Amino acid sequence: MTTSNVFAEFIHTKSAMFKHAKGMRDIFGLEFHPFYEIFLFIDGDAEFISGSFRTKLKRNSLVIIPKESFHHFVVNGPEEEYHRYVLNFTPFGNLQSLIEEKMKDIYVIPISDELLAHFKRLDKYAQSNNQYKKELVLEAALTDILLEFEPPEKDAFDSSTLLINPIIKKAVEYINGNTSKISRMEEIAAAVNVSPSYFSHLFIKELHISPSKYLLEKKLVMANRMIDSGVGAVTAAEQCGFANYSGFYKMYKKAFGYPPSKTNKGK
């Protein structure tokens, strides 16, 4: 393992990415994303926030994040101590049904010794110069992790877990159910019976994101999914509630790093 205080090591394939990093977060972007994520918190002072709960992360906490699910990691302590393993992936090979079975909901649980061993194996190969072996190990380790991971009982929260304010939880449910129809924040505030200013303040306090940014990202990942399935970009933009395609195009490219035309063509 590298002795540097701040580092990031990667293994990439077309469908998956493994990262071992410590220190300043090297990727800032969507709190929603179109891929699945398995996150292993190793050390530091940080908390995890979803649309329904927030929890202080303990050492060796495993976080399971389905695609298109809102999530946010907040680093409270020194960022150079923020230490984690991350697996991001889209379905490959015959893993579609297994991924759908194991990655249905967000979970934050202690990792088992067996699963931890797979991450350590990935860490070992991340430092290799043999790209072929690195890719083979990544796909094998990810398959093993999915096979061995058993989702916990639903709502099996520990004492450090706090539920999101009921007003914001209701607002999130409203946004998620009406994403393409909402055009103004006042609509959401009215749906949860609070003033727009109080709603915005409470939303940011609870989720560390503004309601307008939450809605925009939700619309963008919805459009991404539609375009990836074969829907035309202009049609997807319209159906997701974007009034101007030029504006949509710029926001889409900024969010995903590629234009709509590259969405289902291997980027």
Side-chain angles (χ1 to χ4, degrees):
M1 183 182 297
T2 179
T3 58
S4 173
N5 288 332
V6 177
F7 63 86
E9 300 166 341
F10 297 88
I11 302 176
H12 288 277
T13 71
K14 182 179 179 181
S15 302
M17 182 275 288
F18 167 76
K19 176 176 69 176
H20 175 202
K22 185 177 182 181
M24 189 69 178
R25 285 165 290 175
D26 53 300
I27 299 175
F28 294 85
L30 297 171
E31 279 79 15
F32 296 86
H33 45 59
F35 48 81
Y36 298 89
E37 181 169 322
I38 299 177
F39 180 101
L40 174 56
F41 177 73
I42 303 172
D43 204 2
D45 182 359
E47 62 181 314
F48 173 78
I49 301 174
S50 75
S52 59
F53 71 90
R54 62 191 300 162
T55 187
K56 181 176 175 60
L57 292 172
K58 300 176 181 178
R59 288 184 179 182
N60 291 339
S61 291
L62 188 69
V63 187
I64 303 297
I65 307 169
K67 67 177 181 178
E68 300 183 14
S69 298
F70 170 78
H71 62 284
H72 196 63
F73 291 93
V74 178
V75 179
N76 298 313
E79 291 202 337
E80 62 270 19
E81 297 178 5
Y82 180 48
H83 193 183
R84 68 276 186 202
Y85 292 129
V86 185
L87 279 168
N88 294 332
F89 55 95
T90 55
F92 62 89
N94 297 315
L95 291 182
Q96 178 72 55
S97 60
L98 182 62
I99 290 172
E100 291 176 352
E101 175 191 347
K102 299 295 182 78
M103 304 286 296
K104 289 181 180 178
D105 295 299
I106 290 178
Y107 305 107
V108 182
I109 58 174
I111 193 170
S112 67
D113 291 341
E114 292 77 13
L115 289 178
L116 181 58
H118 293 305
F119 282 94
K120 289 185 175 180
R121 180 159 58 109
L122 282 167
D123 180 29
K124 173 185 175 182
Y125 277 90
Q127 300 168 60
S128 167
N129 293 322
N130 190 318
Q131 183 63 24
Y132 177 67
K133 286 185 178 179
K134 288 164 68 171
E135 292 180 4
L136 287 178
V137 170
L138 175 54
E139 294 193 354
L142 177 55
T143 301
D144 287 340
I145 289 170
L146 289 168
L147 283 170
E148 295 174 22
F149 167 69
E150 291 298 333
E153 294 293 327
K154 196 165 179 61
D155 300 327
F157 297 141
D158 64 28
S159 59
S160 64
T161 298
L162 299 174
L163 297 179
I164 293 297
N165 184 292
I167 293 174
I168 300 307
K169 187 173 185 296
K170 183 178 178 181
V172 166
E173 291 171 351
Y174 180 79
I175 295 171
N176 292 347
N178 299 275
T179 303
S180 62
K181 302 174 185 177
I182 302 170
S183 59
R184 297 166 60 248
M185 293 304 102
E186 289 80 0
E187 298 173 43
I188 310 171
V192 295
N193 299 310
V194 295
S195 70
S197 59
Y198 177 70
F199 167 67
S200 179
H201 169 77
L202 187 59
F203 199 99
I204 293 171
K205 178 184 176 183
E206 289 289 304
L207 301 186
H208 285 243
I209 186 175
S210 70
S212 58
K213 188 170 188 289
Y214 182 103
L215 177 63
L216 173 61
E217 291 194 10
K218 187 73 177 175
K219 287 176 180 284
L220 286 170
V221 294
M222 179 185 291
N224 176 271
R225 177 176 7 103
M226 293 175 65
I227 296 169
D228 192 49
S229 69
V231 176
V234 173
T235 300
E238 291 175 350
Q239 293 185 2
C240 291
F242 291 94
N244 181 283
Y245 181 75
S246 176
F248 164 76
Y249 180 94
K250 292 176 182 177
M251 289 184 285
Y252 189 101
K253 187 174 181 180
K254 180 179 179 180
F256 297 109
Y258 49 84
S261 60
K262 296 291 185 181
T263 297
N264 56 2
K265 298 180 180 178
K267 286 73 168 178

